[in-house]
Amino acid sequence: MANVGNAFENSCILTGTGVAALLFNALVITKYGRRRAMMISGFIVCGLSQLIMAIVYTIEPGTQKTGKVIVGLSVVYIVAYNAMISTYAWLSGGELASQRLRSHTFGLATAVGFFGAWLTTFTAPYFINPLKLGWGPKYGYIWTGSCFIAGTWIWLYLPEVKDRTLEQIDEMFEAGVPARKFRKYQCTGHHVALDEKPQANHVESQSSQGDGSEPKNSAVNVSGVEI
């Protein structure tokens, strides 16, 4: 669609740039790694990149100048996606699920994600192919809307859990803390699971032998059950 340079070389450049972005992100994720800020910023950059590509192609379709804009913004898009969206999406999926339901929740989220990827791969050719709808880069209008919807959802509902333990995350969810207040919330260390632990009380029989010896019977009462 860009008609600039060799398509295979451009594809290799995009892939290499994406890998470099992932490697760079691995170095900064533990030092900065704000889930909400990174993902919202990533969706904004990706959405604007798609929007500019669509607008430029709508105004001047098929020109070399437009092709260079498409290639350049494609690099910006892949860097923003790999560095600020994809890695933090998987990270958040593993952190935010309840400990008891983590495997089920993460498995369901992964299935939904791959279904969305399949749906995109299946439908994209119908939008891009000149023999079908023939939108070409104007397909970016759809992705712009989806990026801003996703960014808005993250701002409203995705909590910030950087440097939080799994117990602290559970505590904040149980306390009903709004997603936007997770970052500054001060955990008390009180967790519902702590209240559910059975309390063991040592109960000794009041009866004893007449010569002052040790009691004959003793029992341990755990949550009202005598053993």
Side-chain angles (χ1 to χ4, degrees):
M1 290 183 294
N3 296 322
V4 176
N6 184 282
F8 177 74
E9 291 179 355
N10 291 338
S11 178
C12 291
I13 291 172
L14 284 176
T15 303
T17 305
V19 172
L22 288 171
L23 295 176
F24 174 77
N25 186 61
L27 301 176
V28 302
I29 190 170
T30 55
K31 295 182 179 180
Y32 181 70
R34 298 289 181 191
R35 281 68 165 155
R36 283 168 54 87
M38 294 295 284
M39 294 182 71
I40 291 175
S41 300
F43 276 116
I44 291 175
V45 174
C46 288
L48 290 176
S49 299
Q50 294 283 346
L51 179 61
I52 295 173
M53 280 191 284
I55 292 175
V56 171
Y57 186 82
T58 301
I59 297 174
E60 296 184 16
T63 65
Q64 188 175 19
K65 179 181 178 181
T66 299
K68 292 180 179 179
V69 171
I70 292 174
V71 172
L73 289 176
S74 295
V75 173
V76 174
Y77 175 88
I78 199 68
V79 169
Y81 180 79
N82 282 6
M84 294 186 282
I85 297 177
S86 62
T87 49
Y88 291 95
W90 287 100
L91 180 62
S92 297
E95 289 177 327
L96 297 177
S98 169
Q99 295 189 49
R100 290 176 294 179
L101 300 175
R102 178 165 287 108
S103 59
H104 300 284
T105 305
F106 195 69
L108 178 61
T110 303
V112 172
F114 276 100
F115 174 77
W118 169 83
L119 185 63
T120 301
T121 305
F122 182 80
T123 58
Y126 291 95
F127 287 91
I128 298 174
N129 195 329
L131 299 178
K132 299 296 182 179
L133 293 178
W135 283 20
K138 289 189 289 185
Y139 189 41
Y141 287 124
I142 295 178
W143 287 117
T144 298
S146 65
C147 284
F148 286 115
I149 290 173
T152 302
W153 186 92
I154 290 172
W155 184 72
L156 292 174
Y157 299 112
L158 185 73
E160 178 57 70
V161 294
K162 181 180 182 295
D163 297 330
R164 298 285 193 175
T165 65
L166 298 178
E167 291 76 14
Q168 289 175 332
I169 294 173
D170 281 351
E171 177 185 334
M172 289 186 285
F173 274 120
E174 290 163 359
V177 179
R180 285 173 287 175
K181 296 182 179 180
F182 264 53
R183 180 181 174 185
K184 297 182 180 180
Y185 183 80
Q186 298 294 327
C187 291
T188 62
H190 178 76
H191 192 271
V192 171
L194 296 177
D195 298 334
E196 296 175 352
K197 289 184 178 180
Q199 296 181 352
N201 299 318
H202 186 71
V203 180
E204 293 186 351
S205 173
Q206 298 297 326
S207 62
S208 60
Q209 297 180 355
D211 56 358
S213 60
E214 294 295 326
K216 292 182 179 180
N217 300 320
S218 63
V220 176
N221 185 286
V222 181
S223 297
V225 179
E226 187 175 281
I227 301 175

mmCIF file of all heavy atoms in Angstrom, residues 183 213 224:
data_model
loop_
_atom_site.group_PDB
_atom_site.id
_atom_site.type_symbol
_atom_site.label_atom_id
_atom_site.label_comp_id
_atom_site.label_asym_id
_atom_site.label_seq_id
_atom_site.Cartn_x
_atom_site.Cartn_y
_atom_site.Cartn_z
ATOM 1 N N ARG A 183 -3.356 3.572 43.203
ATOM 2 C CA ARG A 183 -1.952 3.970 43.304
ATOM 3 C C ARG A 183 -1.626 4.615 44.650
ATOM 4 O O ARG A 183 -0.571 4.365 45.233
ATOM 5 C CB ARG A 183 -1.613 4.935 42.164
ATOM 6 C CG ARG A 183 -0.169 5.409 42.172
ATOM 7 C CD ARG A 183 0.095 6.374 41.033
ATOM 8 N NE ARG A 183 1.423 6.935 41.106
ATOM 9 C CZ ARG A 183 1.882 7.875 40.292
ATOM 10 N NH1 ARG A 183 1.096 8.341 39.330
ATOM 11 N NH2 ARG A 183 3.105 8.349 40.433
ATOM 12 N N SER A 213 -1.981 -35.095 89.939
ATOM 13 C CA SER A 213 -1.278 -35.394 88.692
ATOM 14 C C SER A 213 -1.891 -34.611 87.540
ATOM 15 O O SER A 213 -2.890 -33.927 87.696
ATOM 16 C CB SER A 213 -1.347 -36.902 88.409
ATOM 17 O OG SER A 213 -2.698 -37.302 88.282
ATOM 18 N N GLY A 224 -14.589 -24.844 66.637
ATOM 19 C CA GLY A 224 -15.738 -25.514 67.228
ATOM 20 C C GLY A 224 -15.758 -27.007 67.040
ATOM 21 O O GLY A 224 -16.694 -27.675 67.462
#
